[in-house]
Amino acid sequence: LAKSQRLGRLRAWLLEHAAAGHVTRQEAVSMLPVLLLDVQAHHRVLDMCAAPGSKATQILEVMAASVAGHDGRGACPEGLVVANDVDADRGATLSSIAQRFHSPSLVVTNH
């Protein structure tokens, strides 16, 4: 996207909405664990290599959607996601993502 003039408006839109926390860019390989886990709203999930946070937020979205039965907005699952990263700098990125997500079901640690 960065090199294509035709897609410049799309790139600008993505950057704006990613900064606001409305969309998250994620590699397909990061999506697979969440799909394979079959996460439910009551599960407790520990992500030990959580930064930058795309898997943890995807897990929360799946949990909330299973409570709400739709897109998950406004739903609070019974379960919990503990997102840990051993690297403090990566943990700071993870915390920033978590703050934009506004979920009481997410705990961020650096251990």
Side-chain angles (χ1 to χ4, degrees):
L1 288 176
K3 296 180 182 181
S4 172
Q5 289 183 335
R6 278 185 40 205
L7 299 175
R9 287 182 40 209
L10 174 61
R11 181 178 187 273
W13 183 90
L14 283 172
L15 291 173
E16 176 187 340
H17 287 275
H22 300 146
V23 295
T24 303
R25 296 176 293 171
Q26 183 177 19
E27 296 289 332
V29 71
S30 294
M31 295 178 197
L32 290 176
V34 178
L35 296 173
L36 295 174
L37 280 172
D38 188 30
V39 176
Q40 303 297 312
H42 63 280
H43 287 172
R44 294 183 184 111
V45 180
L46 175 60
D47 184 350
M48 290 299 293
C49 296
S54 56
K55 285 186 302 295
T57 55
Q58 183 185 1
I59 291 167
L60 286 170
E61 289 170 350
V62 169
M63 292 169 86
S66 67
V67 170
H70 58 350
D71 68 358
R73 295 196 180 271
C76 187
E78 297 173 29
L80 178 71
V81 176
V82 177
N84 181 73
D85 206 280
V86 70
D87 184 277
D89 290 336
R90 290 177 53 84
T93 301
L94 178 58
S95 292
S96 174
I97 298 286
Q99 287 174 354
R100 285 188 268 159
F101 206 77
H102 303 292
S103 175
S105 301
L106 176 63
V107 176
V108 176
T109 61
N110 173 232
H111 185 69

